[in-house]
Amino acid sequence: MAKQILVVGSVAIDDIETPAGHRSDSLGGSATYFSTGASFFAPIRLVAVVGSDFDAAELDDLRSRGVDLEGLEQVPGKTFRWAGRYGADFGDAETLDTQLNVFEDFDPKIPESYRETPLVFLANIHPELQGRVLDAFEGHRPELIGADTMNFWITGQRDALLKVLSRIDLLVINETEAHMLSGKKNIYDAADAIRAMGPKILVIKRGAYGALLFHPDGLFVAPSVPLRKLADPTGAGDTFASGLMGYLATCDTLNFEAFKRGVLAGTVLASFACEGFSFDRVKTLTRVDFDERMMQLRALISVD
Ligand code: AMP
């Protein structure tokens, strides 16, 4: 039986432009992507807020995937909104607009039933909110605390973010963010500087070029799954983290080997996220699809 994972992060309505097309008012948010992906592996508890404009049918879909929504509040007002654009290389998103809306005054209440959740993931959201969720675990620290963030918070809320980093075990960020956070150009220097801020385990995602895992027991490098056609990379980072944390939730021992296999699970799940707009592809994903692509990835990286 997989361990439970609690996630806090955004539940959003996105406007997305990619070289493959444009979609308005589409479901998004770091916690939504994370919950959908991680629910392939483990039971999820979601802490977030949505406004009165949020479509209840989307919540039913999450519930049907085994996502516990007791920690999700619906309040009067507008749901978080984000607009982003991807260039011809489908690389880092350019943020066109961020409207925090109901997240401006959100004070997360952690239901009593969530307080002993063994794995916690602080998906991309205001670092003060991430910190407040950790406060609820004072006295009974989770087995593993992971987190994500982005340029918006690295530049805008650095002090709050540094406090969060000092309290976590695992950080999952992309390469541009790693350079921005550390101020270092060389990837080893950047990793050393970030790990000195708190998280002893660091995953640096490099988009189409894969991911690096810096762990106290060594370095692991995974390629991405090469895709012939991409539609929309939105949520790929959150989905990657969901595969990593979800896989770890199925492990008794969280050692270097488990993290390596978790990075491969994240890589496989993220590849599906890029193949459709919003959640289109991930929502239709089956266990067989996942296992086949994992075999394909393992074949691509195995040598005698
Ligand atoms: P990813 O592509 O994995 O970085 O995740 C994209 C998702 O993150 C989108 O669905 C957005 O709604 C959400 N997002 C974008 N900016 C922020 C932000 N500043 N805080 C929280 N979530 C955000």
Side-chain angles (χ1 to χ4, degrees):
M1 176 69 184
K3 298 169 196 167
Q4 307 258 6
I5 309 176
L6 181 150
V7 59
V8 61
S10 59
V11 174
I13 301 176
D14 291 347
D15 268 2
I16 301 161
E17 239 181 277
T18 84
H22 177 236
R23 188 174 291 181
S24 307
D25 296 335
S26 79
L27 178 64
S30 57
T32 327
Y33 279 108
F34 183 93
S35 302
T36 306
S39 67
F40 267 91
F41 297 92
I44 310 301
R45 294 164 166 175
L46 173 62
V47 176
V49 63
V50 292
S52 37
D53 55 351
F54 196 79
D55 182 0
E58 302 288 9
L59 302 183
D60 291 341
D61 184 79
L62 284 170
R63 249 183 234 110
S64 74
R65 292 167 193 278
V67 180
D68 180 334
L69 300 181
E70 198 190 330
L72 179 77
E73 282 180 55
Q74 186 155 23
V75 300
K78 281 191 185 164
T79 298
F80 180 105
R81 279 194 165 259
W82 178 76
R85 178 164 54 206
Y86 292 85
D89 64 350
F90 287 91
D92 292 345
E94 177 195 352
T95 291
L96 303 175
D97 188 28
T98 303
Q99 295 173 23
L100 297 177
N101 296 333
V102 291
F103 268 98
E104 298 254 24
D105 304 311
F106 180 48
D107 187 18
K109 290 165 207 68
I110 312 298
E112 206 48 49
S113 61
Y114 284 17
R115 285 185 196 252
E116 284 178 16
T117 313
L119 306 186
V120 171
F121 193 72
L122 311 172
N124 177 34
I125 194 62
H126 197 307
E128 261 171 27
L129 287 183
Q130 295 179 316
R132 262 184 261 156
V133 169
L134 290 188
D135 292 343
F137 284 86
E138 287 293 318
H140 41 92
R141 195 189 191 280
E143 189 182 345
L144 179 73
I145 304 172
D148 182 12
T149 191
M150 74 182 293
N151 48 10
F152 191 77
W153 309 115
I154 294 172
T155 52
Q157 297 293 333
R158 192 175 172 86
D159 290 346
L161 178 60
L162 290 177
K163 277 193 200 134
V164 169
L165 294 182
S166 72
R167 303 172 74 185
I168 64 171
D169 306 298
L170 162 72
L171 181 69
V172 185
I173 53 174
N174 72 37
E175 194 173 16
T176 313
E177 292 155 358
H179 293 306
M180 193 182 275
L181 177 61
S182 63
K184 306 281 182 196
K185 287 208 167 71
N186 177 277
I187 198 84
Y188 283 104
D189 293 341
D192 289 347
I194 294 168
R195 292 171 75 204
M197 295 172 189
K200 293 296 161 261
I201 307 168
L202 171 68
V203 176
I204 299 182
K205 297 164 292 166
R206 305 181 66 227
Y209 304 103
L212 303 170
L213 164 66
F214 294 89
H215 186 280
D217 292 338
L219 172 66
F220 177 65
V221 183
S224 68
V225 179
L227 296 175
R228 284 190 191 275
K229 259 194 168 165
L230 279 86
D232 171 20
T234 312
D238 309 310
T239 308
F240 177 99
S242 78
L244 168 59
M245 289 291 294
Y247 178 78
L248 292 172
T250 68
C251 299
D252 289 333
T253 312
L254 302 185
N255 55 17
F256 187 30
E257 291 308 309
F259 274 89
K260 286 189 208 175
R261 288 194 297 269
V263 165
L264 295 187
T267 300
V268 166
L269 221 53
S271 72
F272 288 108
C274 296
E275 286 183 323
F277 264 86
S278 184
F279 291 82
D280 290 1
R281 180 64 186 101
V282 176
K283 277 192 174 167
T284 61
L285 189 65
T286 64
R287 191 76 219 183
V288 174
D289 297 332
F290 179 88
D291 290 345
E292 273 178 5
R293 192 162 288 180
M294 178 60 86
M295 270 167 43
Q296 187 194 340
L297 176 62
R298 283 178 169 269
L300 286 174
I301 59 180
S302 81
V303 282
D304 291 330

